Amino acid sequence: MCGIIGYIGGNVESNLYLGLERLEYRGYDSSGMVIKRGSNFTTYKATGVVEKLKPTIKEVATFGIGLAHTRWATHGGISIENCHPHFSSCGDTALVHNGIIENYEELKGDLIKKGKYFYGQTDSEVIAKLFDCKLNINNLRRVREKLIGSYALAIISKNSDYIYFAKNKSPLYIGLGNDCALIASDPSCFVGFADSYITLEDGDYGKFSKKEVIIYDKNNKIIKKQPEKLDFSFINEELSGYSHFMLKEIYQSRIALEKIIEVYQSYAMKEKLEILKNKEFDRIYLIGCGTAYHAGLIGESYMRDAFNIDVFCEIASEIIYKNLNIDEKSLCIFISQSGETADTLSALEYCKNRGGIVVSITNTEYSSIAHKAILNFPILAGQEKAVASTKAYFAQCIVLYIITNYLKGIDYIFPLQNFKRQIDFGDDNILKSLASKLANFEKVFFIGRKRDYITAKEASLKLKEITYIFSSAEPSGELKHGVIALIDKTVPVIVIATDEKVFNKTLNNACEIKARGGKLILFTTLNIDNEIEKAFDFVVKVNKVSQAFMPLQIILSLQKLAYFTAVAKGLDPDKPRNLAKSVTVE
Ligand code: F6R
């Protein structure tokens, strides 16, 4: 939700623009840039995707100081007025902000009474108007004391050669290069510019130039932070011949699996797993949002099968309302691709405050969630650029499988190696042909039993988020309890069947749909006879694997179905409307 970047060095415009492209996954409602050369500001703003900003920019290949921002609108519509950067009333101070200022209305009211004029409706403009014309540490301290909410702020002034910053509950990092210094919401922006970076903590604020970094902590004490080495392997910038990142990333599931197999055999990783095994707990909670929550459901099914203790999977934004019994004996596993999801982060704090043993599974070892957990298990999927999560889901489930087997004392390497050999991404022609039909429908249902119901939920989420087709996932057995009222010939139902033991029951439910004129589509790994096949209007078959990996095998084809359907509808699957990849607001 919004990405910010600040840069001090040469070629400011083009380097900031590259940073914006790298941050675009955080929102693409509008973008903007301000450059300071001498004591002048040049500003660029455009609504829409970052590409729209490019033609407005006049490249000046000399040293400068600049800020840039890509927006996911929260307060105020998508307009040039609401586009960052925002300026102090005198116009001498410019800032970019990621986060939400909860008391902005009250602050705005006071400022209006003092005669300040507002151009737009954002909470961020309120912060800008709180600055007087002189930007210095005292002013910054005074302003941040007034703010309630989350913020990653980068601020420049016509009268200073520093970039000022402040962080609370939104991610912020400083990148240190030989010829430049940077600040950004995500250290992936530093690749090619810096070889080390500093992670800022909540309450930190300060300023930096090319020569020095001065950081104050929440107690207003100057602190020194050890820079960490930047890992270049994470970045994923090339389409490598694919039409979209989403398709590339679906195929990268296999690479993620290979990497997980390699790294999870290492001594260091086994030591981590051993630390977890030695913890004393009598309940397990798996917590995440969206797709990460669905991975948690798969993990819950593994753990319930393996252990004799209670295992619960919870939606992060709901957990605080549930009065759950979370204490020192609760193992709380937080699942998050980005490691920055605000709802998951709040749930983590909630469980930590109750004494829970807080562990994370993330794709970003530098993230806030990974930092706050006592142990972080990386999913090693490499950067996921497409907004819809694909390879991360696959890798999260694999890591949950490994944790389950390690705690149970069962080998996981051999089964994973076997699975790697049997991975089946589905037949493109069959999936494209189905997608071209599906693109004409307005609603779709997914049904399944047991783990297939979890797969149905994930497949349904994928379809709706990138095709805007209404879709819903139902447990097969639940249809007759209400939802079947919606079935007629205009409604395709995708039946997911990978579990032999419950196939007959699922088949009965499918027949109930057929009897009401619904279109039936089967996604299966089972060997089914011709008579059964005839009951369906369309059948997609993928190779059978061992039962634990069935949800992962079948989801690959379902992800591709969503992808091909979006393409058939002429939509951009990588940048669905209204969404952002990293959801850093609650
Ligand atoms: C769906 C999707 C989202 C995320 C959710 C959590 O394709 O990507 O549902 O899974 O926003 O994000 P992370 O995993 O970063 O916490």
Side-chain angles (χ1 to χ4, degrees):
M1 316 256 114
C2 299
I4 70 168
I5 177 164
Y7 175 88
I8 305 177
N11 301 321
V12 198
E13 285 84 355
S14 56
N15 291 339
L16 278 178
Y17 185 78
L18 176 63
L20 280 181
E21 284 184 320
R22 288 175 174 176
L23 287 174
E24 195 172 18
Y25 73 88
R26 301 179 71 87
Y28 31 82
D29 287 334
S30 66
S31 58
M33 203 184 269
V34 58
I35 316 288
K36 171 190 165 322
R37 282 198 179 84
S39 54
N40 293 321
F41 278 166
T42 312
T43 307
Y44 305 103
K45 292 185 177 188
T47 53
V49 293
V50 165
E51 226 181 342
K52 299 267 181 207
L53 189 69
K54 197 169 191 175
T56 71
I57 300 172
K58 287 185 200 73
E59 187 70 51
V60 185
T62 57
F63 175 87
I65 300 176
L67 305 177
H69 183 273
T70 177
R71 180 167 185 246
W72 186 82
T74 56
H75 297 70
I78 300 164
S79 66
I80 291 293
E81 290 73 29
N82 289 332
C83 205
H84 296 223
H86 292 292
F87 295 88
S88 60
S89 294
C90 63
D92 283 0
T93 301
L95 69 75
V96 287
H97 167 226
N98 162 223
I100 287 186
I101 303 304
E102 288 160 20
N103 58 336
Y104 85 102
E105 276 178 335
E106 187 191 323
L107 294 169
K108 190 171 179 175
D110 290 347
L111 288 164
I112 288 171
K113 272 189 217 144
K114 286 182 187 155
K116 305 269 183 187
Y117 177 78
F118 285 84
Y119 294 90
Q121 296 79 41
T122 64
D123 51 340
S124 312
E125 193 183 351
V126 175
I127 315 174
K129 295 291 185 285
L130 284 171
F131 280 97
D132 299 331
C133 288
K134 244 202 164 101
L135 178 63
N136 55 39
I137 285 293
N138 283 338
N139 246 349
L140 175 60
R141 190 177 295 142
R142 188 180 55 78
V143 169
R144 55 180 281 287
E145 276 164 9
K146 292 186 180 167
L147 304 177
I148 300 174
S150 56
Y151 49 84
L153 287 171
I155 315 151
I156 58 172
S157 156
K158 286 183 180 171
N159 315 309
S160 166
D161 288 334
Y162 285 88
I163 292 182
Y164 286 71
F165 59 85
K167 170 194 165 17
N168 193 44
K169 294 185 186 162
S170 294
L172 197 57
Y173 304 86
I174 294 176
L176 307 166
N178 286 335
D179 306 317
C180 64
L182 308 95
I183 190 159
S185 307
D186 180 339
S188 69
C189 288
F190 304 151
V191 173
F193 300 107
D195 39 30
S196 62
Y197 69 100
I198 292 170
T199 304
L200 295 167
E201 305 291 333
D202 287 347
D204 287 353
Y205 66 98
K207 62 178 186 174
F208 69 93
S209 65
K210 260 176 44 170
K211 293 199 188 96
E212 62 173 348
V213 180
I214 300 171
I215 307 173
Y216 294 82
D217 69 5
K218 58 175 183 259
N219 301 314
N220 302 318
K221 296 259 173 316
I222 289 193
I223 48 166
K224 284 261 164 283
K225 290 205 175 214
Q226 198 52 43
E228 292 164 67
K229 214 174 148 29
L230 195 66
D231 176 6
F232 292 90
S233 61
F234 186 71
I235 202 98
N236 170 28
E237 283 192 311
E238 306 298 327
L239 279 166
S240 322
Y242 291 94
S243 339
H244 297 93
F245 281 101
M246 182 173 172
L247 191 60
K248 176 182 177 187
E249 288 163 8
I250 293 170
Y251 281 103
Q252 283 181 325
S253 298
R254 190 204 297 271
I255 302 170
L257 176 57
E258 281 163 6
K259 186 102 183 142
I260 291 172
I261 293 174
E262 181 200 321
V263 173
Y264 277 80
Q265 289 187 78
S266 69
Y267 177 75
M269 204 50 87
K270 287 201 169 149
E271 208 173 37
K272 230 186 218 189
L273 287 161
E274 194 58 26
I275 297 174
L276 183 62
K277 197 173 184 174
N278 288 330
K279 298 275 174 207
E280 278 182 33
F281 51 86
D282 60 14
R283 263 154 295 145
I284 301 176
Y285 294 94
L286 295 149
I287 302 142
C289 302
T291 289
Y293 165 69
H294 295 158
L297 290 172
I298 295 287
E300 180 192 31
S301 75
Y302 291 152
M303 291 180 182
R304 279 181 185 245
D305 285 354
F307 311 131
N308 235 346
I309 58 172
D310 280 335
V311 187
F312 308 96
C313 182
E314 301 290 338
I315 293 175
S317 58
E318 287 291 317
I319 195 167
I320 54 172
Y321 311 117
K322 286 195 133 176
N323 202 15
L324 293 170
N325 191 14
I326 293 168
D327 58 20
E328 306 73 35
K329 286 290 176 68
S330 312
L331 172 62
C332 305
I333 304 179
F334 291 86
I335 307 158
S336 174
Q337 188 283 129
S338 63
E340 298 294 351
T341 300
D343 289 322
T344 312
L345 207 48
S346 299
L348 186 151
E349 302 283 2
Y350 175 86
C351 294
K352 210 172 190 175
N353 291 338
R354 274 157 187 75
I357 305 161
V358 166
V359 164
S360 63
I361 295 177
T362 71
N363 200 20
T364 40
E365 294 200 70
Y366 52 78
S367 64
S368 309
I369 289 175
H371 267 242
K372 290 191 173 167
I374 56 160
L375 292 170
N376 177 58
F377 293 96
I379 62 166
L380 306 160
Q383 188 182 30
E384 202 179 51
K385 262 185 104 87
V387 164
S389 189
T390 54
K391 62 177 176 176
Y393 173 74
F394 185 92
Q396 285 160 349
C397 294
I398 299 285
V399 170
L400 284 159
Y401 172 83
I402 291 177
I403 291 176
T404 308
N405 278 23
Y406 193 90
L407 295 182
K408 178 95 178 158
I410 303 175
D411 173 44
Y412 48 85
I413 297 299
F414 182 69
L416 286 173
Q417 279 166 337
N418 251 346
F419 176 41
K420 191 185 85 184
R421 282 189 284 275
Q422 296 165 329
I423 282 194
D424 182 353
F425 289 90
D427 182 313
D428 274 13
N429 291 332
I430 292 175
L431 291 168
K432 277 183 191 164
S433 136
L434 176 57
S436 66
K437 295 184 173 64
L438 215 56
N440 301 315
F441 287 92
E442 282 175 11
K443 45 183 185 282
V444 176
F445 283 96
F446 289 82
I447 63 165
R449 271 174 195 264
K450 293 174 75 183
R451 285 191 189 130
D452 289 337
Y453 169 52
I454 306 171
T455 304
K457 285 165 86 77
E458 177 54 12
S460 167
L461 178 62
K462 234 46 351 153
L463 187 78
K464 73 179 82 147
E465 67 181 323
I466 62 167
T467 68
Y468 320 139
I469 295 172
F470 172 85
S471 78
S472 179
E474 308 293 334
S476 310
E478 271 294 292
L479 278 181
K480 57 189 176 295
H481 297 292
V483 179
I484 204 158
L486 294 172
I487 303 296
D488 62 24
K489 63 177 186 322
T490 67
V491 185
V493 178
I494 298 183
V495 181
I496 299 165
T498 69
D499 190 333
E500 209 120 36
K501 288 195 189 125
V502 292
F503 184 59
N504 280 342
K505 283 191 180 181
T506 302
L507 197 59
N508 290 342
N509 303 134
C511 293
E512 290 153 17
I513 295 162
K514 189 85 179 163
R516 271 106 193 143
K519 297 261 172 300
L520 271 184
I521 299 154
L522 177 68
F523 272 70
T524 190
T525 50
L526 305 175
N527 298 322
I528 49 165
D529 63 39
N530 286 346
E531 275 317 298
I532 293 178
E533 204 165 323
K534 274 189 212 147
F536 292 87
D537 298 286
F538 209 102
V539 176
V540 177
K541 291 182 191 167
V542 292
N543 288 339
K544 194 171 180 166
V545 286
S546 74
Q547 199 61 50
F549 303 128
M550 290 291 199
L552 305 183
Q553 179 83 314
I554 201 91
I555 197 66
L556 297 168
S557 292
L558 288 156
Q559 289 168 343
K560 279 172 66 180
L561 176 69
Y563 169 79
F564 287 134
T565 309
V567 172
K569 290 187 76 170
L571 300 167
D572 179 354
D574 286 347
K575 291 182 198 148
R577 71 184 181 204
N578 304 343
L579 292 173
K581 182 111 192 110
S582 186
V583 187
T584 54
V585 293
E586 282 182 66

